[in-house]
Amino acid sequence: MCGLSGEIRFDGERPDLAAVQRMSDRLAARGPDGEGIWSRGPVALAHRRLKIIDLSDLGAQPMTDVEDEVTGVFNGCIYNYRELSEELRRLGHRFESTSDTEVVLNAYRQWGTACVDHFYGMFAFAIFEHRTGRLVLGRDRLGIKPLYLAETPGRLRFASSLPALLAGGDVDTSLDPVAVHQYLSWHATVAAPRTVLNGVRKLPPATVRVVEPDGSHQDHRYWQPSYTRRPEYADMSPSEWRDAVLDALRTAVRRRMVSDVPVGVLLSGGLDSSLIVALLADEGQRDLATFSVGFESEGGAGGDEFEYSDLIAKEFATDHHRLMVPSERLPTALDGAIAAMSEPMISHDVVAFHLLSEQVAKEVKVVQSGQGADEVFAGYHWYPSLAEASRAGAADRYAETYFDRSHADLSRVVRPDMLPPDDVASRFVREHMAVPGADTALDAALRLDTHVMLV
């Protein structure tokens, strides 16, 4: 996982190193393999490392490039870092490590903020330019890696989690009524840049922010698919679509095989994770570790899916681990699961995922898992209704089928001072649905879910 944090001052004062250290300490669970802190002039950067690529100390962070032009901290993985390293070497850049972090720094030196256009991966980074005093923050296309911000007069702090910012101190922790309204309407989602706290914001996905020494900043959104149906695909047959999807899945799995440590798979026995195991086997992965979690039956309902995961594990001869969680373990795990959250989540399976992660971490550091297929292939229950709706009626149909409760219902159960006066959740959806580039109600809903709800 790794975790980054830092502070930049705009008032001529030095950064508060004690506060940066507290933020870093709060991120220790994200990076148990190493820590570092670096400061120069108005900025301080800190990092907690989980060793995945280049396991030597040469991959430690914060990292300064060979030419002493930039220093940065990075969370994530650049899947094409080897190819980029070769390209940057041909362009004259020197490397001291084999880490993807150094690739990020040299890519920034080569292409500036356009470096993100060259990255295939999941990432959040902060890069400080020594000469200009600029701080550059970036986040991956789909917002897989988080980056939270807390700005007060004369200062900006940033971290990989909201609790880390709170550990730094001096954060407005009053609740944001608009965020509360979104949270209670959309299955606990709060759209960037808001969080549930007034004093904390998050960098939106697919965004690079350049922060000037005076505190002003400029955002650049570098990726936004149009969701317009492309005419060259109009006559593709089902078999051609099947082959195209399989080819894309092969590419996605292959890109994620770059780790310098063993990679496992969270195998539920469902379609997504079973496909990943099969594709890894096709790519020649041997002795693949797979992990499934099960629970005791309650109220006549079965609690595990081992029947299905066992079939896949046997078919592809994986090193399979069945993790059975006793019922009495769930209540005791609740505190730990909540402490691990960056923002409050309400899904019933979060405790199960946390327990699974605890067990899996004893065996491997990295796992692949199937996430996002329902948002790409329209698998959720509200999509058939949207497929039948007119483009003009997309927002209303989405609210009918997706929202947890109406604005009127919220107004009856939440204190008036904790809610905005109007239906901001519905207004957000209407504005998003009205943006050009999605031809149908279903396309507009898929766009909203991929870029807001999935994050």
Side-chain angles (χ1 to χ4, degrees):
M1 271 176 114
C2 294
L4 63 85
S5 56
E7 175 181 315
I8 184 168
R9 304 290 301 224
F10 313 121
D11 55 6
E13 298 294 324
R14 294 286 184 177
D16 185 341
L17 295 180
V20 175
Q21 185 65 61
R22 289 195 300 272
M23 291 193 291
S24 184
D25 291 344
R26 188 64 178 80
L27 295 168
R30 294 182 66 97
D33 295 338
E35 63 174 307
I37 190 166
W38 175 93
S39 184
R40 181 182 294 186
V43 72
L45 303 175
H47 189 261
R48 289 281 178 166
R49 186 183 184 197
L50 184 69
K51 292 182 179 179
I52 303 298
I53 294 174
D54 189 346
L55 308 185
S56 75
D57 289 342
L58 293 175
Q61 302 183 49
M63 182 181 289
T64 300
D65 75 293
V66 176
E67 306 297 334
D68 195 35
E69 292 187 3
V70 296
T71 298
V73 284
F74 165 72
N75 164 219
C77 183
I78 305 300
Y79 305 135
N80 61 329
Y81 79 98
R82 290 172 181 150
E83 297 89 333
L84 286 175
S85 176
E86 293 174 4
E87 181 179 358
L88 290 163
R89 288 177 196 274
R90 289 194 298 269
L91 291 168
H93 293 273
R94 294 186 294 142
F95 288 83
E96 291 185 331
S97 74
T98 58
S99 72
D100 52 348
T101 304
E102 194 167 15
V103 169
V104 170
L105 296 183
N106 278 328
Y108 178 77
R109 289 184 54 224
Q110 178 65 37
W111 296 301
T113 55
C115 64
V116 291
D117 298 325
H118 298 257
F119 298 156
Y120 295 141
M122 52 181 181
F123 54 84
F125 63 76
I127 296 175
F128 180 68
E129 293 184 353
H130 299 173
R131 182 178 59 82
T132 66
R134 288 193 191 98
L135 178 73
V136 179
L137 307 173
R139 196 172 177 203
D140 63 69
R141 290 167 177 80
L142 289 175
I144 298 170
K145 291 302 179 183
L147 190 56
Y148 290 87
L149 313 168
E151 188 167 5
T152 54
R155 183 189 69 209
L156 171 67
R157 287 180 181 161
F158 47 92
S160 292
S161 78
L162 187 155
L165 285 174
L166 297 185
D170 192 24
V171 175
D172 178 2
T173 58
S174 62
L175 294 180
D176 179 340
V178 172
V180 169
H181 196 283
Q182 293 178 352
Y183 178 89
L184 294 174
S185 300
W186 302 336
H187 316 343
T189 297
V190 175
R194 295 182 185 274
T195 75
V196 75
L197 301 184
N198 274 313
V200 180
R201 291 296 179 252
K202 50 200 174 195
L203 189 71
T207 299
V208 173
R209 173 170 295 182
V210 178
V211 182
E212 299 293 344
D214 63 1
S216 62
H217 71 264
Q218 193 167 33
D219 284 0
H220 167 56
R221 184 166 189 174
Y222 63 88
W223 183 77
Q224 174 59 61
S226 70
Y227 288 77
T228 300
R229 306 199 176 201
R230 293 164 63 172
E232 62 266 36
Y233 295 155
D235 297 325
M236 284 177 63
S237 67
S239 62
E240 288 173 322
W241 274 111
R242 180 198 63 201
D243 293 343
V245 170
L246 180 58
D247 184 58
L249 283 169
R250 287 191 194 282
T251 299
V253 168
R254 189 181 303 122
R255 282 177 177 164
R256 286 158 177 79
M257 295 176 66
V258 298
S259 171
D260 290 337
V261 297
V263 178
V265 176
L266 301 184
L267 177 60
S268 68
L271 182 63
D272 301 347
S273 60
S274 299
L275 270 170
I276 289 170
V277 170
L279 291 169
L280 283 167
D282 280 355
E283 292 296 324
Q285 184 87 32
R286 295 292 176 263
D287 301 318
L288 179 66
T290 52
F291 303 87
S292 300
V293 65
F295 303 89
E296 296 174 352
S297 298
E298 294 287 349
D304 71 67
E305 297 178 342
F306 289 151
E307 174 186 354
Y308 305 107
S309 56
D310 284 353
L311 287 171
I312 299 299
K314 181 179 180 181
E315 174 71 21
F316 296 102
T318 71
D319 176 16
H320 191 52
H321 303 252
R322 296 171 54 165
L323 308 174
M324 177 60 75
V325 179
S327 295
E328 64 267 18
R329 180 74 178 89
L330 289 172
T332 62
L334 186 59
D335 286 350
I338 292 173
M341 297 176 187
S342 201
E343 295 182 71
M345 301 172 67
I346 60 167
S347 176
H348 62 277
D349 57 6
V350 292
V351 178
F353 269 115
H354 188 255
L355 286 169
L356 176 62
S357 299
E358 279 186 335
Q359 296 302 313
V360 171
K362 297 175 182 178
E363 305 287 341
V364 295
K365 289 186 176 182
V366 180
V367 290
Q368 293 198 30
S369 64
Q371 296 288 337
D374 287 304
E375 288 82 2
V376 174
F377 294 104
Y380 286 125
H381 65 83
W382 54 88
Y383 290 127
S385 177
L386 281 153
E388 299 169 356
S390 68
R391 183 66 180 84
D396 290 340
R397 184 65 61 88
Y398 190 89
E400 292 168 6
T401 56
Y402 183 83
F403 280 31
D404 294 316
R405 53 191 63 82
S406 68
H407 178 68
D409 287 340
L410 276 178
S411 299
R412 283 192 288 269
V413 296
V414 180
R415 278 183 7 214
D417 61 307
M418 295 311 305
L419 285 179
D422 61 329
D423 187 354
V424 292
S426 293
R427 174 153 50 87
F428 181 98
V429 170
R430 283 196 305 273
E431 291 172 354
H432 198 284
M433 294 290 191
V435 173
D439 298 331
T440 68
L442 179 59
D443 292 338
L446 288 168
R447 179 176 63 188
L448 175 63
D449 284 353
T450 299
H451 298 283
V452 179
M453 305 305 177
L454 176 62
V455 184

